[in-house]
Amino acid sequence: MIEQIVTNQYFLLALTFGIYQGAKMVQHRTQSILLNPILITIGLVIVFLKVCDIPYDTYHESAKMIDFWLKPAVVALGVPLYLQLSQIKKQIVPILASQMMGCVVGIISVVVTARMLGASREVVASLASKSVTTPIAMEVTQALGGIPSLTAAIVVITGLIGGVVGFKLMAVGHIYNPMAKGLSMGAASHAVGTSVAMERDEFVGAYASLGLTLNGILTAILTPTIVELMS
């Protein structure tokens, strides 16, 4: 009876949302950047699955309902972007230049680092698109002959790192311009960084969604060419 309950897809779905909501409340009260709700949720769900001996495939069936809303959620980020459209038009040249540079440096740096550490071609291909949202990253990885499941894990880790330490690093680097902060968070840590930016400031969040969008487009276009030239 208990096994049927804990493996029920609706129970697992409710558990995921419940843990996430609880984690958000904890972070709101403590104001600790280390208590990132996504990080806590991932950790506690893994512990629950291990303790209850629930296969990942069983959990994944329930998580498909969450996956379904991932793409619409990314599209919805265009709303705050639209609200800042007039301001963005005035800065379009520096925005495009910075995003192009950020995309190229992001791809080259991870490819060079992976190869220096002895990573195989498949692993390198899986890491190249680490800074874009999961659907785009997995499509790029498949085109490069990489491992989509590895890409998905790396994308989550990249987003979590950016969400936890991104604003702190920019403070250390004396980066205070809200446009630069937003673009950096969106370009470096995709949807997770954009979500954190939205919670801090709507203006910063709008530019984070722009950074996410532009970096996604540029990564999809440039990654195969850059990886091929570096091979």
Side-chain angles (χ1 to χ4, degrees):
M1 180 65 177
I2 296 179
E3 182 179 351
Q4 290 179 338
I5 294 175
V6 297
T7 57
N8 182 277
Q9 62 176 351
Y10 297 107
F11 173 81
L12 293 172
L13 188 64
L15 176 71
T16 303
F17 282 120
I19 294 175
Y20 179 77
Q21 186 60 36
K24 284 196 70 174
M25 293 172 63
V26 171
Q27 187 187 49
H28 180 72
R29 290 188 177 184
T30 61
Q31 296 297 312
S32 173
I33 61 171
L34 297 177
L35 297 177
N36 184 279
I38 298 177
L39 179 60
I40 293 176
T41 303
I42 291 174
L44 291 181
V45 167
I46 290 174
V47 171
F48 178 81
L49 296 179
K50 286 292 186 181
V51 171
C52 297
D53 195 26
I54 300 174
Y56 173 74
D57 289 340
T58 301
Y59 176 77
H60 182 64
E61 284 300 314
S62 65
K64 283 182 178 179
M65 299 183 187
I66 301 176
D67 288 342
F68 173 80
W69 291 106
L70 182 59
K71 293 178 183 178
V74 173
V75 174
L77 292 173
V79 175
L81 186 61
Y82 175 76
L83 296 176
Q84 301 294 335
L85 190 58
S86 60
Q87 184 70 21
I88 291 170
K89 287 180 179 178
K90 299 176 183 178
Q91 304 286 341
I92 191 64
V93 173
I95 287 174
L96 290 176
S98 65
Q99 291 304 288
M100 176 69 77
M101 182 62 68
C103 174
V104 172
V105 170
I107 296 170
I108 292 177
S109 62
V110 72
V111 169
V112 170
T113 301
R115 285 183 173 163
M116 288 178 63
L117 294 175
S120 65
R121 179 190 175 282
E122 289 76 14
V123 172
V124 171
S126 304
L127 299 177
S129 56
K130 63 176 177 53
S131 292
V132 296
T133 190
T134 308
I136 297 175
M138 293 181 72
E139 289 294 330
V140 172
T141 295
Q142 287 181 331
L144 293 174
I147 309 168
S149 57
L150 175 59
T151 299
I154 294 300
V155 166
V156 172
I157 293 171
T158 301
L160 287 173
I161 293 174
V164 171
V165 304
F167 282 106
K168 289 291 183 181
L169 286 176
M170 284 188 280
V172 172
H174 302 289
I175 300 173
Y176 302 115
N177 184 288
M179 182 180 74
K181 290 165 69 174
L183 289 171
S184 298
M185 288 296 287
S189 33
H190 53 83
V192 178
T194 300
S195 176
V196 173
M198 287 284 187
E199 292 178 359
R200 287 199 168 218
D201 182 271
E202 185 176 329
F203 183 84
V204 175
Y207 277 94
S209 64
L210 177 60
L212 179 154
T213 303
L214 290 176
N215 192 50
I217 295 171
L218 291 171
T219 298
I221 295 172
L222 298 177
T223 302
T225 302
I226 294 175
V227 172
E228 183 178 348
L229 290 174
M230 296 181 67
S231 61

